[in-house]
Amino acid sequence: MERMYTLGPEFVDVTWGAGGAQSELTLQICTTAQSVAGLETCMHLTCTNMPREKIDWALKNAKEAGIQNILALRGDPPHGHSDWQKIDTGFAYAIDLVKYIREQYGDYFCIGVAGYPENHIENPDPEADFRHFIEKAKLADYVVTQLFYDCDIYLAWVDRVRAAGVTIPILPGIMPIQMYGGFKRMTTLSKTRVPAFIDAALEPIKDDDKAVKEYGVRLAIDMCNKLRAHGQKGFHFYCMNLEKSVRLILEGLGFVAPIEVAKPLPWNPSLAKNREKESVRPIFWRNRTRSYVLRTESWDDYPNGRWGDSRSPAYGDLDGYGVSLKFTPEEALKVWGTPKTHQEIYTLFAEFCKGNLSALPWCDNMAPESESIKSPLASVNMKGFLTINSQPAVDGIPSSDPRVGWGPKNGFVYQKAYVEFFVSPEALQKLIKKLGENPYITYYAVNKQGDLKTNVQAEGPNAVTWGVFPGQEIVQPTVVDGMSFMAWKDEAFELWNQWARIYAPGSESSKLIQSVSDTWFLMNVVNNNYRDAQAIFEIFN
Amino acid sequence: MERMYTLGPEFVDVTWGAGGAQSELTLQICTTAQSVAGLETCMHLTCTNMPREKIDWALKNAKEAGIQNILALRGDPPHGHSDWQKIDTGFAYAIDLVKYIREQYGDYFCIGVAGYPENHIENPDPEADFRHFIEKAKLADYVVTQLFYDCDIYLAWVDRVRAAGVTIPILPGIMPIQMYGGFKRMTTLSKTRVPAFIDAALEPIKDDDKAVKEYGVRLAIDMCNKLRAHGQKGFHFYCMNLEKSVRLILEGLGFVAPIEVAKPLPWNPSLAKNREKESVRPIFWRNRTRSYVLRTESWDDYPNGRWGDSRSPAYGDLDGYGVSLKFTPEEALKVWGTPKTHQEIYTLFAEFCKGNLSALPWCDNMAPESESIKSPLASVNMKGFLTINSQPAVDGIPSSDPRVGWGPKNGFVYQKAYVEFFVSPEALQKLIKKLGENPYITYYAVNKQGDLKTNVQAEGPNAVTWGVFPGQEIVQPTVVDGMSFMAWKDEAFELWNQWARIYAPGSESSKLIQSVSDTWFLMNVVNNNYRDAQAIFEIFN
């Protein structure tokens, strides 16, 4: 989702899983896309085998999550039935679902419907099929079509649809060819017409997966360009969770997301309705956005413009959402091994900084902007300061900078150098002494038990990322805040426990990691002199 | 008051005028010092000839203005009486006033009383006099003494006072000698003892006013140093509205106000109780602070941290407080003459920028920080862009900088270049066209009738002064805000009318100035690229 975000889609689709756990999962993915990743989300909803209560439940939850787009579908036949069957209190066709949503929610939802340029495969009567589609489209807000590979068929169909009086936007469904076998199976099953030139081009390369993928990208670019020449403005890509081909297609088409739209803030703003004005967050959860969104979901309002007095609302308990590793124990063992000395742990952290380890319990990947400091960070880790979050100093770089820029054009962005790490009590004592020599350094350090050490005297938060833009107040979207740090430390220490748990109780690795969790401190350090990029690393010498 | 502020006094005193209009004036001066200049103010209050209702009125108004310090005095005998007389419902001695204030206001007021190291002149019984003083001092919070020139007398008296069990601070009253004649008259009248060495030093220079003043400064420095050697920490200077000698004395003593205390913000924060959190103001009233404070006095709360949504409260009408020149018509004629052409007006504005004219209707003196741009500003005025407010660009200068610094130490301050001026409709049209070439420029222009031209699209204000400090959010105390500009323009245009009124109706000067007021525009321009100090002047070429 993070990677999709950078492509700047108008919206993303999540298909509907009709089963019980599947429906829950769909809603959860939609909510995450909308609230956590900040992607405008369209939730698919089918009426096959769906009692009215289930549809009510789905729509209610979608609305609560801030989702405003529904693709209303009839859906596939239930498993084991070759044919679709109407169930009691259910709906016969997608149009019934469209009508029901309008009846219940008026204009709240933007409702899409599916179009079939090559006719709906189950329908033996193409004319009746078309009439039903027109009827449905006249009640909807937009159309997205089934995939196709013959642009002429699509264009002719659009002409017919327009002639029938349908004026809403129509998005052609483009599915990049990824694998020869899959492509053949799918087009055969769905009876999709494949022009002879495509077959001819694929035949000689069908056993070369890479060449097939490359051809798929070129074909999609050609198709989109042909449709654009006929006035088509938007496209719907069937990514099937693989975004690479789509990224290459967008680049080939010259669809580069403008920086203002792609990155209004250094983090992706949530699109949940109640968070629409939120514009400030603590830096601590930068690698755990979902946890931040969940632990603050009960807040009445969210910090807007500055963190200010918003510190009073409490953070949700860890119990409320659960802290867990993103790996299974088996995967984790493979990545992190069985460290038996502190030095082996230092090495794991250092390797992560260098890009040689895919993840740590606290972070999945280094922020691209930290690329510039990965070498000094790795050294810091080898000295036993185990970093889990950091940002380099930025002294007024244009807001259009591809690496650290954000916000409207013609602005300048700033960052105070920040580093957050675990540290042994002995090293902490020496470090605090050394920090006393630099009047620009502020810090907080706390252990699992909550013993806090800080040199911060002001009550409010410290803005560590801000931007200056034409005609605006200063935008300050990221802060270091003492109260928030205390809420974050529980989560940060719990991840050590989770790590310890992948080893047998009483084993050397388990005891080592548990002892770090029990005795070390979590510390964050800000160099308030953002004009000196190196000083923050010198404190560790 | 502005100049006093820069000396960093703990508080300033305003003497009590017992008559009707005089009392009103005292309160008005106190309120201005406290609310407008941001000086902690001590209001004197006498009980001579004062009915209880008058004292109630004075205390109530002082409290409402945020004043927390009262010097409780008996006061001089009413005019025409050589002796003091108690009036009905009045008070006999200062101690009665102290008791009454405590009874009515508890500990709200910090109450000072007067001490007389050489005994109170009216009292023939020095012992009784001392006993009464001790009784009074035991109910008060501090003592300030009558002026004296013999430090030994003061020091001996303090010892006696301490021996009698009085522990509150005692401030010696130091009055720098300004003129020989005045000094002699005053010390004779008040029977103040003058040590022989002072008379001996003054005698040979008594006709040289400058030499007397210089001696007065040296003497005061010597006295203060002697008292410091005996443990004295604070001093009370009788300035008599002349601050130059006191400034020289403070410099001689090495009492330099620390920058953090002297300038917490680029403008002096008000000390009115309801404004204690106010930390943002529009730039427009920078030279008319009193008007700003009065026109916003009905606001329920004041912008704190950022201007934000605080724009909704309305500004008070011009009628409410009256716009007037600080000169009498005679003084104004002397300074501004009788301009008969636009060019003569341009010259007046240019001469003001160069420091050759003491004031314009919109401003009394150039801000010291504008010193660096006075030459380009003068050229701009000669071209017919009549500037009334401006600030140079500042790109991250240390907060300790004596010229543009403010706020806590180890910070950096910034300013966007700003210039505000009157411009003819013809010149405005050309200028707006030229401004379109620079994407960093934002502007508002409006005429008396309220026709607004702007290129600002965002709704919020533009922060034009801000500071970045260790461990804090960004402080942004000065903004350009469209709504506030509309309130300000009425005042800015009214000052042209006031100027026109010093000339005979129908005279050439009156008609010229009135026509500028009726047809020209008031415009403000911000260069949002604060890293380019010169560009704002280039737009006028």
mmCIF file of all heavy atoms in Angstrom, chain B residues 14 19 24 74 168 289 339 349 365 410 430 481 502 539:
data_model
loop_
_atom_site.group_PDB
_atom_site.id
_atom_site.type_symbol
_atom_site.label_atom_id
_atom_site.label_comp_id
_atom_site.label_asym_id
_atom_site.label_seq_id
_atom_site.Cartn_x
_atom_site.Cartn_y
_atom_site.Cartn_z
ATOM 1 N N VAL B 14 4.002 54.457 38.127
ATOM 2 C CA VAL B 14 3.240 55.590 37.611
ATOM 3 C C VAL B 14 2.644 56.309 38.812
ATOM 4 O O VAL B 14 1.928 55.696 39.617
ATOM 5 C CB VAL B 14 2.120 55.136 36.651
ATOM 6 C CG1 VAL B 14 1.358 56.342 36.116
ATOM 7 C CG2 VAL B 14 2.688 54.308 35.501
ATOM 8 N N GLY B 19 -6.696 64.273 41.258
ATOM 9 C CA GLY B 19 -7.891 64.917 40.714
ATOM 10 C C GLY B 19 -8.662 63.993 39.790
ATOM 11 O O GLY B 19 -8.185 62.905 39.449
ATOM 12 N N GLU B 24 -8.024 59.455 36.000
ATOM 13 C CA GLU B 24 -8.292 58.753 34.737
ATOM 14 C C GLU B 24 -7.006 58.593 33.946
ATOM 15 O O GLU B 24 -6.728 57.548 33.375
ATOM 16 C CB GLU B 24 -9.290 59.559 33.888
ATOM 17 C CG GLU B 24 -10.707 59.621 34.424
ATOM 18 C CD GLU B 24 -11.513 58.388 34.052
ATOM 19 O OE1 GLU B 24 -10.923 57.441 33.496
ATOM 20 O OE2 GLU B 24 -12.723 58.369 34.338
ATOM 21 N N ARG B 74 0.324 58.125 51.580
ATOM 22 C CA ARG B 74 -0.615 59.073 52.159
ATOM 23 C C ARG B 74 -0.873 60.204 51.159
ATOM 24 O O ARG B 74 -1.994 60.614 50.945
ATOM 25 C CB ARG B 74 -0.056 59.652 53.464
ATOM 26 C CG ARG B 74 -1.127 60.332 54.278
ATOM 27 C CD ARG B 74 -0.547 60.909 55.534
ATOM 28 N NE ARG B 74 0.423 61.948 55.220
ATOM 29 C CZ ARG B 74 0.969 62.731 56.136
ATOM 30 N NH1 ARG B 74 0.659 62.582 57.421
ATOM 31 N NH2 ARG B 74 1.837 63.647 55.792
ATOM 32 N N ILE B 168 11.009 42.348 54.480
ATOM 33 C CA ILE B 168 10.662 42.501 53.051
ATOM 34 C C ILE B 168 11.737 43.298 52.312
ATOM 35 O O ILE B 168 12.526 43.998 52.932
ATOM 36 C CB ILE B 168 9.277 43.202 52.896
ATOM 37 C CG1 ILE B 168 9.278 44.547 53.624
ATOM 38 C CG2 ILE B 168 8.169 42.293 53.391
ATOM 39 C CD1 ILE B 168 8.010 45.350 53.430
ATOM 40 N N THR B 289 0.668 49.788 18.146
ATOM 41 C CA THR B 289 0.328 48.714 19.083
ATOM 42 C C THR B 289 -0.891 49.064 19.938
ATOM 43 O O THR B 289 -1.767 48.235 20.171
ATOM 44 C CB THR B 289 1.523 48.426 20.018
ATOM 45 O OG1 THR B 289 2.660 48.195 19.215
ATOM 46 C CG2 THR B 289 1.248 47.221 20.882
ATOM 47 N N PRO B 339 2.536 70.130 1.205
ATOM 48 C CA PRO B 339 2.825 69.523 -0.104
ATOM 49 C C PRO B 339 1.764 69.910 -1.133
ATOM 50 O O PRO B 339 0.571 69.929 -0.814
ATOM 51 C CB PRO B 339 2.808 68.017 0.188
ATOM 52 C CG PRO B 339 2.058 67.856 1.464
ATOM 53 C CD PRO B 339 2.284 69.112 2.251
ATOM 54 N N PHE B 349 8.027 60.945 2.408
ATOM 55 C CA PHE B 349 8.157 59.533 2.800
ATOM 56 C C PHE B 349 9.614 59.068 2.688
ATOM 57 O O PHE B 349 10.118 58.357 3.565
ATOM 58 C CB PHE B 349 7.251 58.649 1.932
ATOM 59 C CG PHE B 349 5.824 58.591 2.414
ATOM 60 C CD1 PHE B 349 4.942 59.632 2.178
ATOM 61 C CD2 PHE B 349 5.359 57.478 3.107
ATOM 62 C CE1 PHE B 349 3.615 59.575 2.612
ATOM 63 C CE2 PHE B 349 4.039 57.401 3.543
ATOM 64 C CZ PHE B 349 3.170 58.458 3.305
ATOM 65 N N ASN B 365 8.774 56.057 14.403
ATOM 66 C CA ASN B 365 10.190 55.847 14.100
ATOM 67 C C ASN B 365 10.373 54.516 13.381
ATOM 68 O O ASN B 365 9.592 53.594 13.533
ATOM 69 C CB ASN B 365 11.056 55.919 15.361
ATOM 70 C CG ASN B 365 10.444 55.122 16.489
ATOM 71 O OD1 ASN B 365 9.523 54.332 16.282
ATOM 72 N ND2 ASN B 365 10.951 55.325 17.685
ATOM 73 N N ASN B 410 20.112 29.758 21.766
ATOM 74 C CA ASN B 410 20.380 28.588 20.928
ATOM 75 C C ASN B 410 19.283 28.321 19.884
ATOM 76 O O ASN B 410 19.103 27.195 19.436
ATOM 77 C CB ASN B 410 20.612 27.329 21.770
ATOM 78 C CG ASN B 410 21.850 27.450 22.638
ATOM 79 O OD1 ASN B 410 22.830 28.068 22.225
ATOM 80 N ND2 ASN B 410 21.808 26.899 23.830
ATOM 81 N N LYS B 430 0.406 48.072 -13.102
ATOM 82 C CA LYS B 430 1.697 47.639 -13.649
ATOM 83 C C LYS B 430 2.410 46.686 -12.693
ATOM 84 O O LYS B 430 3.007 45.695 -13.094
ATOM 85 C CB LYS B 430 2.606 48.857 -13.888
ATOM 86 C CG LYS B 430 2.237 49.656 -15.121
ATOM 87 C CD LYS B 430 3.314 50.708 -15.396
ATOM 88 C CE LYS B 430 2.692 51.987 -15.916
ATOM 89 N NZ LYS B 430 3.536 53.164 -15.769
ATOM 90 N N ASP B 481 -2.509 38.474 7.494
ATOM 91 C CA ASP B 481 -3.799 37.801 7.456
ATOM 92 C C ASP B 481 -4.799 38.698 6.727
ATOM 93 O O ASP B 481 -4.922 39.888 7.051
ATOM 94 C CB ASP B 481 -4.250 37.525 8.900
ATOM 95 C CG ASP B 481 -5.710 37.156 8.993
ATOM 96 O OD1 ASP B 481 -6.075 36.120 8.425
ATOM 97 O OD2 ASP B 481 -6.485 37.912 9.613
ATOM 98 N N ILE B 502 -5.336 68.959 8.693
ATOM 99 C CA ILE B 502 -4.508 70.025 9.284
ATOM 100 C C ILE B 502 -4.432 71.230 8.346
ATOM 101 O O ILE B 502 -3.949 72.284 8.731
ATOM 102 C CB ILE B 502 -3.079 69.546 9.666
ATOM 103 C CG1 ILE B 502 -2.225 69.249 8.425
ATOM 104 C CG2 ILE B 502 -3.138 68.330 10.584
ATOM 105 C CD1 ILE B 502 -0.766 68.993 8.757
ATOM 106 N N ILE B 539 11.015 44.286 -7.531
ATOM 107 C CA ILE B 539 9.686 44.383 -8.151
ATOM 108 C C ILE B 539 9.292 45.828 -8.437
ATOM 109 O O ILE B 539 8.409 46.082 -9.235
ATOM 110 C CB ILE B 539 8.593 43.717 -7.273
ATOM 111 C CG1 ILE B 539 8.460 44.432 -5.919
ATOM 112 C CG2 ILE B 539 8.894 42.237 -7.071
ATOM 113 C CD1 ILE B 539 7.346 43.879 -5.044
#
